Amino acid sequence: MAQGVAALAVELTDMAAADHQSAIRANSDDPAEQLAWRRLTARHGDRLGEIMDEYGWPTAEVVGEEAARAAWLIAQHADRQLDVQRRALQLMEQAVSAGSAGPRELALLRDRTLVNEGRKQVYGTQIAGVKDGSPIPWPCEEPERMDELRAEVGLEPFDAYVAKFAMS
């Protein structure tokens, strides 16, 4: 088992590294590059589904901090695999309740999944686009409570968050 977990940790971190290298392709003007990104994230999503079936959510206690973050990133980018995102969300919720995963990552995954389902997000982490140099978030359930909800999970205030995306 320990050998399997060590191999799993390496596999997850390798997948995240490939994701980071390819992420630039996600919004490429070249359809072939976009397709390569979709193929990569779909392959990773499929594999994460298998990992969750076998191990449950790969927490830091099991696979280490870096590999646990990699698993979250893979789930976050499984945008066309809602079954994988929903399952990751469910398993991560249990892990957060048990104190073995972070509420911040869970909040980001929850917003991403909600937006992919065509629903309003909670924390305002998903940006729909940029208008006149200002990032526009996807609609939120309770926009007036957004910063309060963000603070509860360790996210910076919305204005500080979108400042990172703003066109200078």
Side-chain angles (χ1 to χ4, degrees):
M1 180 70 181
Q3 190 178 6
V5 169
L8 176 62
V10 169
E11 182 182 4
L12 285 166
T13 52
D14 285 351
M15 286 161 66
D19 183 290
H20 282 303
Q21 287 172 346
S22 299
I24 187 97
R25 296 175 170 171
N27 301 312
S28 169
D29 292 335
D30 181 351
E33 287 202 354
Q34 282 187 36
L35 197 58
W37 166 253
R38 288 183 178 204
R39 239 183 249 124
L40 177 85
T41 55
R43 197 167 60 241
H44 287 175
D46 289 346
R47 180 61 185 126
L48 182 61
E50 294 168 3
I51 291 166
M52 290 187 293
D53 288 344
E54 189 174 343
Y55 295 90
W57 185 250
T59 61
E61 287 88 344
V62 177
V63 294
E65 203 69 51
E66 189 184 359
R69 185 154 174 81
W72 167 80
L73 179 76
I74 293 159
Q76 188 79 347
H77 287 168
D79 290 319
R80 284 162 299 279
Q81 293 159 290
L82 265 174
D83 56 326
V84 172
Q85 277 189 336
R86 287 185 184 121
R87 181 137 161 67
L89 190 61
Q90 180 188 16
L91 292 173
M92 257 194 108
E93 280 169 354
Q94 294 166 4
V96 168
S97 294
S100 54
R104 185 180 179 279
E105 282 75 24
L106 178 62
L108 289 158
L109 184 59
R110 175 168 289 128
D111 273 1
R112 186 92 168 216
T113 305
L114 286 167
V115 166
N116 285 335
E117 291 173 341
R119 292 158 60 195
K120 291 182 176 179
Q121 61 180 330
V122 176
Y123 303 98
T125 64
Q126 300 302 298
I127 303 299
V130 176
K131 186 177 182 193
D132 301 326
S134 298
I136 309 296
W138 287 97
C140 285
E141 284 175 17
E142 302 179 89
E144 68 289 348
R145 286 192 61 222
M146 192 169 52
D147 277 338
E148 177 191 333
L149 295 168
R150 290 175 69 89
E152 285 172 12
V153 295
L155 288 166
E156 69 269 53
F158 182 74
D159 288 345
Y161 179 69
V162 295
K164 298 177 189 173
F165 298 91
M167 301 302 199
S168 46

